[in-house]
């Protein structure tokens, strides 16, 4: 609920202690030393925004039903097991994206299997029978952590990140898979692999998951025996062969943030090329539609968990593509249900 404005060039040298500013996170503007008239207008806009937000909040506990009776699944994106993260459990249909990398980014040392197990179990128990899609470690690119000595790369988004990094660190990956499977005995666990470029990646990761499950079974430990396993679709190569991929995976989720940057060859963290990062680019929309049609034909679940999932302009379009499951931050849930 806090306004945030990113990419304000030279902000630290322009702003001064005690200065009055207007942070317009809706319009994307920072106004320094505003006039009395500008302040009055900003306060009016802020009050209108608060009133609209309060009206929209009335939809938080409603069911998102279409005119034809279709039910939209609205799930949450979370990064941990804190109370703020879990507060939306009663207003959602589950967790569409559990960003487990934040468990790794919170300390100086790698989290142990037991530490991860307790965090994952807490989330799964909070959501009960509702599915919790746990994305395996997605470190690299724009996400770094102190507990892993990651290589310094010229193009980190195109380098050793996410699943590629896990293949290079099999013991780290194995520990996470064991913790996730053990926690899955306490809820409805779905496991999702990020940064999959093709079937080789998928099959290799799935084999490592199967090995972890076999190890737990041999040790007589409880684990999720019927866990659904899927992939994130965020590299164009795998989106373009969605019809083939859909025959093997249990489900998929489209990560629109990365899919957009890879499809349009634009670094989404680079402010100088932000105008090329176009979420409604026809080429990107074609990739999403093709993927949706492929998974519908295969009868497999498909969701959208990137920023587009909670975008009020994109939501009707995604439903038009046949995507009835979206995942977003809690702050976007009420507005999406209202739509």
């Amino acid at each position: 609920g806090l306004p945030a404005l990113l990419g304000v060039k030279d902000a630290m040298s322009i702003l001064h202690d005690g200065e009055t500013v207007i942070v317009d996170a809706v319009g994307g503007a920072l106004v320094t030393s505003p006039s009395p008239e500008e302040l009055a207008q900003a306060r009016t806009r802020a009050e209108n925004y608060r009133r609209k937000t309060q009206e929209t909040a009335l939809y938080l506990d409603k069911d998102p039903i279409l005119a034809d009776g279709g039910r939209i699944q609205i799930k949450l994106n979370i990064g941990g097991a804190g109370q703020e993260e879990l507060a939306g459990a009663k207003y959602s249909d589950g967790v569409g994206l559990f960003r487990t990398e934040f468990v790794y980014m919170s300390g100086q040392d790698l989290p142990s299997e037991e530490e991860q197990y307790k965090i994952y179990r807490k989330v799964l128990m909070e959501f009960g029978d509702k599915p919790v899609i746990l994305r395996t470690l997605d470190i690299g690119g724009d996400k770094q952590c102190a507990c892993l000595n990651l290589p310094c790369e010229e193009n980190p988004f195109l380098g050793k990140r996410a699943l590629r990094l896990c293949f290079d660190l099999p013991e780290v990956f194995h520990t996470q898979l064991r913790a996730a499977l053990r926690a899955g005995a306490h809820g409805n666990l779905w496991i999702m692999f990020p940064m999959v470029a093709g079937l080789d990646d998928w099959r290799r990761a799935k084999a490592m998951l199967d090995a972890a499950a076999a190890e737990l079974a041999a040790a007589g430990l409880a684990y999720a025996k019927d866990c659904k396993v899927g992939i994130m679709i965020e590299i164009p190569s795998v989106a373009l062969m969605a019809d083939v991929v859909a025959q093997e995976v249990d489900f998929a989720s489209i990560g629109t943030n990365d899919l957009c940057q890879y499809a349009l060859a634009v670094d989404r963290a680079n402010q100088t090329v932000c105008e090329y990062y176009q979420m409604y680019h026809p080429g990107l929309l074609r990739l999403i539609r093709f993927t949706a049609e492929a998974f519908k034909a295969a009868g497999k679940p498909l969701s959208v968990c990137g920023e587009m999932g909670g975008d009020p302009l994109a939501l009707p379009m995604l439903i038009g593509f046949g995507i009835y499951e979206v995942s977003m931050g809690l702050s976007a849930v009420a507005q999406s249900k209202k739509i």
Side-chain angles (χ1 to χ4, degrees), residues 191-218:
I191 290 179
M192 179 167 66
F193 302 124
M195 198 72 179
V196 172
L199 290 177
D200 285 347
D201 286 345
W202 153 252
R203 290 168 181 166
R204 185 177 176 184
K206 181 64 164 57
M208 295 175 79
L209 177 65
D210 291 342
E215 191 175 278
L216 292 172

Side-chain angles (χ1 to χ4, degrees), residues 303-319:
S303 64
V304 167
C305 64
E307 286 301 311
M308 192 179 281
D311 185 329
L313 188 58
L315 186 56
M317 176 186 64
L318 295 175
I319 294 171

